[in-house]
Amino acid sequence: MLWFWTAYIGATLFGMLHCIFNIYVRHMRPMDENGMGEAYEKTKPWHPVYNLLLYPAAGWLYMRSLPDPTLQAALHTGLLWAAICIVFDLLAWVVVKHPWRLSYREFYVRYQPWITLTYIIIFAAPVAGLAFLQA
C-alpha cells in the first residue's frame, strides 16, 4: 500500500498546488459556496495527467517487489487500488466537510470525464508496471 498512497498523495498535492497557483499567480476565481470556481475548473484536465505520471511508476515499484509478478497479481492489485481510491475519494472529497469539499453532482457528474479517466489509470497502473518490468 506504500506505493499506492505515495502516488495518491502526490497526485492530490499536484492538483491542489495547481489550483493554488491558479488562484494566487493567475488570479483566477477560487472555489466558493456557489461552485468549484475557475481556478479548480482549469486544473481538472490535468488530474489524469498527474495520475498517469505517478501511478504507473507506483505500479512498477510494487510489481518489482513481488517474488513472482504475474498479470493476475497486477489485475488484482489494480482492482484493489481503484476500489480503495473510489471509496477514499467519496469520503475525502464528498462526505467529510472541508473548504474544498464537492457535492456528489460536482464530483461524479461535473468532473467527467476526468474522474473516470483517473480511475482507469489507477486500475491499469499495476499492469503498466508489470509491462515495464518485463520489457
Side-chain angles (χ1 to χ4, degrees):
M1 293 311 303
L2 169 68
W3 300 121
F4 167 82
W5 287 113
T6 300
Y8 186 92
I9 291 167
T12 300
L13 285 175
F14 274 121
M16 292 173 79
L17 291 172
H18 189 174
C19 190
I20 291 167
F21 175 84
N22 284 350
I23 293 167
Y24 291 104
V25 176
R26 298 183 69 201
H27 306 290
M28 293 181 179
R29 189 172 40 85
M31 294 174 66
D32 58 23
E33 64 278 348
N34 297 321
M36 291 191 261
E38 179 187 22
Y40 174 73
E41 288 290 335
K42 295 292 185 180
T43 68
K44 290 192 313 188
W46 291 95
H47 295 180
V49 175
Y50 303 145
N51 287 280
L52 190 58
L53 293 172
L54 295 171
Y55 272 97
W60 175 76
L61 288 165
Y62 174 72
M63 294 308 292
R64 78 179 193 144
S65 73
L66 297 179
D68 184 29
T70 63
L71 180 58
Q72 183 176 4
L75 290 170
H76 285 145
T77 302
L79 187 60
L80 177 65
W81 284 11
I84 290 169
C85 192
I86 290 166
V87 171
F88 191 79
D89 280 351
L90 172 66
L91 296 173
W93 297 109
V94 178
V95 175
V96 175
K97 293 182 182 184
H98 56 79
W100 290 27
R101 178 183 183 203
L102 301 171
S103 70
Y104 288 98
R105 181 168 180 73
E106 287 170 330
F107 196 77
Y108 294 106
V109 176
R110 291 184 56 203
Y111 194 12
Q112 293 298 336
W114 316 117
I115 192 64
T116 299
L117 290 172
T118 296
Y119 292 148
I120 291 169
I121 290 165
I122 292 168
F123 170 74
V127 176
L130 179 65
F132 292 143
L133 189 63
Q134 294 176 342

Coordinates of all heavy atoms in Angstrom, one line a residue, residues 81-124:
W81 N -6.6 -1.2 -5.9 CA -6.2 0.2 -5.9 C -7.4 1.1 -6.3 O -7.6 2.1 -5.7 CB -5.0 0.5 -6.8 CG -3.7 0.1 -6.2 CD1 -3.5 -0.7 -5.1 CD2 -2.4 0.3 -6.7 NE1 -2.1 -0.9 -4.9 CE2 -1.4 -0.3 -5.9 CE3 -1.9 1.0 -7.8 CZ2 -0.1 -0.2 -6.1 CZ3 -0.6 1.1 -8.0 CH2 0.4 0.5 -7.2
A82 N -8.0 0.7 -7.4 CA -9.2 1.5 -7.9 C -10.3 1.5 -6.9 O -10.9 2.6 -6.6 CB -9.7 1.0 -9.2
A83 N -10.6 0.4 -6.2 CA -11.7 0.3 -5.2 C -11.3 1.2 -4.0 O -12.2 2.0 -3.5 CB -11.9 -1.1 -4.8
I84 N -10.1 1.1 -3.6 CA -9.7 2.0 -2.4 C -9.8 3.4 -2.8 O -10.3 4.3 -2.0 CB -8.3 1.6 -1.9 CG1 -8.3 0.2 -1.3 CG2 -7.7 2.7 -1.0 CD1 -6.9 -0.3 -1.1
C85 N -9.4 3.8 -3.9 CA -9.4 5.2 -4.4 C -10.8 5.7 -4.5 O -11.1 6.8 -4.1 CB -8.7 5.3 -5.7 SG -8.4 7.0 -6.2
I86 N -11.7 4.9 -5.1 CA -13.1 5.3 -5.2 C -13.8 5.5 -3.9 O -14.4 6.6 -3.6 CB -13.9 4.3 -6.1 CG1 -13.4 4.3 -7.5 CG2 -15.4 4.5 -5.9 CD1 -13.9 3.1 -8.4
V87 N -13.6 4.6 -2.9 CA -14.1 4.8 -1.6 C -13.5 6.0 -0.9 O -14.2 6.8 -0.2 CB -14.0 3.5 -0.8 CG1 -14.4 3.7 0.7 CG2 -14.8 2.4 -1.4
F88 N -12.2 6.0 -0.9 CA -11.5 7.1 -0.2 C -11.9 8.5 -0.8 O -12.1 9.5 0.0 CB -10.0 6.9 -0.2 CG -9.3 7.9 0.7 CD1 -9.2 7.6 2.1 CD2 -8.6 9.0 0.2 CE1 -8.6 8.5 2.9 CE2 -8.0 9.9 1.0 CZ -7.9 9.6 2.4
D89 N -12.0 8.6 -2.1 CA -12.4 9.8 -2.7 C -13.8 10.3 -2.3 O -14.0 11.4 -2.0 CB -12.4 9.7 -4.3 CG -11.0 9.9 -4.9 OD1 -10.1 10.3 -4.2 OD2 -10.9 9.6 -6.1
L90 N -14.7 9.3 -2.2 CA -16.0 9.6 -1.7 C -16.0 10.2 -0.3 O -16.6 11.3 -0.1 CB -16.9 8.3 -1.7 CG -18.3 8.5 -1.1 CD1 -19.2 9.4 -1.8 CD2 -18.9 7.1 -0.9
L91 N -15.2 9.6 0.5 CA -15.1 10.1 1.9 C -14.4 11.4 2.0 O -14.8 12.4 2.6 CB -14.4 9.0 2.8 CG -15.2 7.7 3.0 CD1 -14.3 6.7 3.7 CD2 -16.5 7.9 3.7
A92 N -13.2 11.5 1.3 CA -12.4 12.7 1.4 C -12.8 13.9 0.7 O -12.6 15.0 1.2 CB -10.9 12.3 1.0
W93 N -13.5 13.7 -0.4 CA -13.9 14.9 -1.3 C -15.4 15.2 -1.3 O -15.8 16.2 -1.7 CB -13.4 14.7 -2.7 CG -11.9 14.6 -2.7 CD1 -11.2 13.5 -3.0 CD2 -11.0 15.6 -2.5 NE1 -9.8 13.8 -2.9 CE2 -9.7 15.1 -2.6 CE3 -11.1 17.0 -2.2 CZ2 -8.5 15.9 -2.4 CZ3 -10.0 17.7 -2.0 CH2 -8.7 17.2 -2.1
V94 N -16.2 14.3 -0.8 CA -17.6 14.5 -0.8 C -18.3 14.5 0.6 O -19.0 15.4 1.0 CB -18.4 13.5 -1.7 CG1 -19.9 13.7 -1.7 CG2 -17.8 13.5 -3.1
V95 N -17.9 13.5 1.4 CA -18.6 13.3 2.7 C -18.1 14.2 3.8 O -18.8 14.9 4.5 CB -18.5 11.8 3.1 CG1 -19.1 11.6 4.5 CG2 -19.3 10.9 2.1
V96 N -16.7 14.2 4.0 CA -16.1 15.0 5.0 C -16.2 16.5 4.7 O -15.8 16.9 3.6 CB -14.6 14.5 5.2 CG1 -14.0 15.4 6.3 CG2 -14.6 13.1 5.7
K97 N -16.6 17.3 5.6 CA -16.8 18.7 5.4 C -15.4 19.4 5.5 O -14.7 19.2 6.5 CB -17.7 19.3 6.4 CG -19.2 18.8 6.1 CD -20.1 19.4 7.1 CE -21.5 18.9 6.8 NZ -22.5 19.5 7.6
H98 N -15.0 20.1 4.5 CA -13.8 20.9 4.5 C -14.0 22.0 3.4 O -14.9 21.9 2.6 CB -12.6 20.1 4.3 CG -12.6 19.2 3.1 ND1 -12.3 19.7 1.8 CD2 -12.9 17.9 2.9 CE1 -12.4 18.7 0.9 NE2 -12.7 17.6 1.6
P99 N -13.1 23.0 3.3 CA -13.3 24.1 2.3 C -13.3 23.6 0.9 O -13.9 24.3 0.0 CB -12.1 25.0 2.6 CG -11.7 24.7 4.0 CD -12.0 23.3 4.2
W100 N -12.6 22.5 0.5 CA -12.6 22.1 -0.9 C -13.6 21.0 -1.2 O -13.5 20.3 -2.2 CB -11.2 21.7 -1.2 CG -10.2 22.8 -1.3 CD1 -10.3 24.0 -0.6 CD2 -9.0 22.9 -2.0 NE1 -9.2 24.8 -0.9 CE2 -8.4 24.1 -1.8 CE3 -8.4 22.0 -2.9 CZ2 -7.2 24.5 -2.4 CZ3 -7.2 22.4 -3.5 CH2 -6.6 23.7 -3.2
R101 N -14.5 20.8 -0.3 CA -15.5 19.7 -0.4 C -16.3 19.9 -1.7 O -16.7 21.1 -2.0 CB -16.3 19.7 0.8 CG -17.4 18.6 0.8 CD -18.3 18.8 2.0 NE -19.3 17.8 2.0 CZ -20.4 17.9 2.7 NH1 -20.6 18.9 3.5 NH2 -21.3 16.9 2.7
L102 N -16.7 18.8 -2.3 CA -17.5 18.9 -3.5 C -18.8 18.2 -3.2 O -18.9 17.3 -2.4 CB -16.8 18.3 -4.7 CG -15.5 18.9 -5.1 CD1 -14.8 18.0 -6.2 CD2 -15.7 20.3 -5.6
S103 N -19.9 18.6 -3.9 CA -21.1 17.8 -3.8 C -21.0 16.6 -4.7 O -20.1 16.4 -5.5 CB -22.3 18.7 -4.4 OG -22.2 18.8 -5.8
Y104 N -22.0 15.6 -4.5 CA -22.0 14.4 -5.3 C -22.0 14.8 -6.8 O -21.3 14.2 -7.6 CB -23.2 13.5 -5.0 CG -23.1 12.9 -3.6 CD1 -23.7 13.4 -2.5 CD2 -22.4 11.7 -3.5 CE1 -23.6 12.8 -1.3 CE2 -22.3 11.1 -2.2 CZ -22.9 11.6 -1.1 OH -22.8 11.0 0.1
R105 N -22.9 15.7 -7.1 CA -23.0 16.1 -8.5 C -21.7 16.7 -9.1 O -21.3 16.4 -10.2 CB -24.1 17.1 -8.7 CG -24.4 17.6 -10.1 CD -25.7 18.3 -10.3 NE -25.9 18.8 -11.6 CZ -26.2 18.0 -12.6 NH1 -26.4 16.7 -12.4 NH2 -26.4 18.4 -13.8
E106 N -21.1 17.6 -8.3 CA -19.8 18.2 -8.7 C -18.7 17.1 -8.9 O -18.0 17.2 -9.9 CB -19.3 19.2 -7.7 CG -20.1 20.5 -7.7 CD -19.8 21.4 -6.6 OE1 -19.4 20.9 -5.5 OE2 -19.9 22.6 -6.7
F107 N -18.7 16.1 -8.0 CA -17.6 15.2 -8.1 C -17.9 14.1 -9.1 O -17.0 13.6 -9.8 CB -17.3 14.5 -6.7 CG -16.0 13.8 -6.6 CD1 -14.9 14.5 -6.5 CD2 -16.0 12.4 -6.7 CE1 -13.6 13.9 -6.4 CE2 -14.7 11.8 -6.6 CZ -13.6 12.5 -6.5
Y108 N -19.1 13.6 -9.2 CA -19.4 12.4 -10.1 C -20.0 12.8 -11.4 O -20.0 11.9 -12.3 CB -20.2 11.4 -9.3 CG -19.5 10.8 -8.2 CD1 -19.8 11.2 -6.9 CD2 -18.5 9.9 -8.3 CE1 -19.1 10.7 -5.8 CE2 -17.7 9.4 -7.3 CZ -18.1 9.8 -6.0 OH -17.4 9.3 -5.0
V109 N -20.5 14.0 -11.6 CA -21.1 14.4 -12.9 C -20.3 15.5 -13.5 O -19.8 15.3 -14.7 CB -22.6 14.8 -12.7 CG1 -23.2 15.3 -14.0 CG2 -23.4 13.7 -12.1
R110 N -20.0 16.6 -12.8 CA -19.3 17.7 -13.4 C -17.8 17.5 -13.6 O -17.2 18.2 -14.3 CB -19.6 19.0 -12.6 CG -21.1 19.4 -12.8 CD -21.4 20.7 -12.1 NE -20.5 21.8 -12.6 CZ -20.3 22.8 -11.8 NH1 -20.9 23.0 -10.6 NH2 -19.5 23.8 -12.3
Y111 N -17.3 16.4 -12.9 CA -15.9 16.1 -13.0 C -15.6 15.1 -14.1 O -14.5 14.6 -14.2 CB -15.5 15.6 -11.6 CG -14.0 15.5 -11.3 CD1 -13.0 16.1 -12.1 CD2 -13.6 14.8 -10.2 CE1 -11.7 16.0 -11.9 CE2 -12.2 14.7 -9.9 CZ -11.3 15.3 -10.7 OH -10.0 15.2 -10.4
Q112 N -16.6 14.8 -14.9 CA -16.4 13.8 -16.0 C -15.8 14.6 -17.2 O -16.1 15.8 -17.4 CB -17.8 13.2 -16.4 CG -18.4 12.3 -15.4 CD -17.5 11.1 -15.1 OE1 -16.7 10.7 -15.8 NE2 -17.7 10.6 -13.9
P113 N -15.0 13.9 -18.0 CA -14.6 12.5 -18.0 C -13.3 12.3 -17.1 O -12.8 11.2 -17.0 CB -14.3 12.2 -19.4 CG -13.7 13.5 -19.9 CD -14.5 14.6 -19.2
W114 N -12.9 13.4 -16.4 CA -11.6 13.4 -15.8 C -11.5 12.3 -14.6 O -10.5 11.7 -14.5 CB -11.2 14.8 -15.3 CG -11.5 15.8 -16.3 CD1 -12.4 16.8 -16.2 CD2 -10.9 15.8 -17.6 NE1 -12.4 17.5 -17.4 CE2 -11.5 17.0 -18.3 CE3 -10.0 15.1 -18.3 CZ2 -11.2 17.3 -19.6 CZ3 -9.7 15.4 -19.6 CH2 -10.3 16.5 -20.2
I115 N -12.6 12.2 -13.8 CA -12.5 11.3 -12.7 C -12.5 9.9 -13.2 O -11.8 9.0 -12.7 CB -13.6 11.6 -11.7 CG1 -13.4 10.8 -10.4 CG2 -15.0 11.3 -12.2 CD1 -12.2 11.2 -9.6
T116 N -13.3 9.6 -14.3 CA -13.3 8.2 -14.8 C -12.0 7.9 -15.4 O -11.5 6.8 -15.2 CB -14.4 8.1 -15.9 OG1 -15.7 8.4 -15.2 CG2 -14.5 6.8 -16.5
L117 N -11.4 8.8 -16.2 CA -10.0 8.6 -16.7 C -9.0 8.3 -15.6 O -8.2 7.4 -15.7 CB -9.6 9.8 -17.6 CG -10.3 10.0 -18.9 CD1 -9.9 11.3 -19.5 CD2 -10.0 8.8 -19.8
T118 N -9.1 9.0 -14.5 CA -8.2 8.9 -13.4 C -8.4 7.4 -12.8 O -7.4 6.8 -12.5 CB -8.5 9.9 -12.3 OG1 -8.2 11.2 -12.8 CG2 -7.7 9.7 -11.0
Y119 N -9.6 7.0 -12.6 CA -9.8 5.6 -12.1 C -9.4 4.6 -13.0 O -8.8 3.5 -12.6 CB -11.3 5.4 -11.7 CG -11.8 6.3 -10.5 CD1 -13.1 6.7 -10.5 CD2 -10.9 6.6 -9.5 CE1 -13.5 7.5 -9.4 CE2 -11.3 7.4 -8.4 CZ -12.6 7.8 -8.4 OH -13.0 8.6 -7.3
I120 N -9.5 4.8 -14.3 CA -9.0 3.8 -15.3 C -7.5 3.7 -15.2 O -6.9 2.7 -15.3 CB -9.5 4.2 -16.7 CG1 -11.0 3.9 -16.8 CG2 -8.7 3.4 -17.8 CD1 -11.6 4.5 -18.1
I121 N -6.8 4.9 -15.1 CA -5.4 4.9 -15.0 C -4.9 4.2 -13.7 O -3.9 3.4 -13.8 CB -4.9 6.4 -15.0 CG1 -5.0 7.0 -16.4 CG2 -3.4 6.5 -14.5 CD1 -4.9 8.5 -16.4
I122 N -5.6 4.4 -12.6 CA -5.2 3.8 -11.4 C -5.4 2.2 -11.5 O -4.5 1.5 -11.0 CB -6.0 4.4 -10.2 CG1 -5.5 5.8 -10.0 CG2 -5.8 3.5 -8.9 CD1 -6.4 6.6 -9.0
F123 N -6.5 1.8 -12.1 CA -6.7 0.4 -12.3 C -5.6 -0.2 -13.2 O -5.1 -1.3 -12.9 CB -8.1 0.1 -12.9 CG -8.2 -1.3 -13.4 CD1 -8.4 -2.3 -12.4 CD2 -8.2 -1.6 -14.7 CE1 -8.6 -3.6 -12.9 CE2 -8.3 -2.9 -15.1 CZ -8.5 -3.9 -14.2
A124 N -5.2 0.5 -14.2 CA -4.3 -0.1 -15.2 C -2.8 0.1 -14.8 O -1.9 -0.6 -15.3 CB -4.5 0.6 -16.6

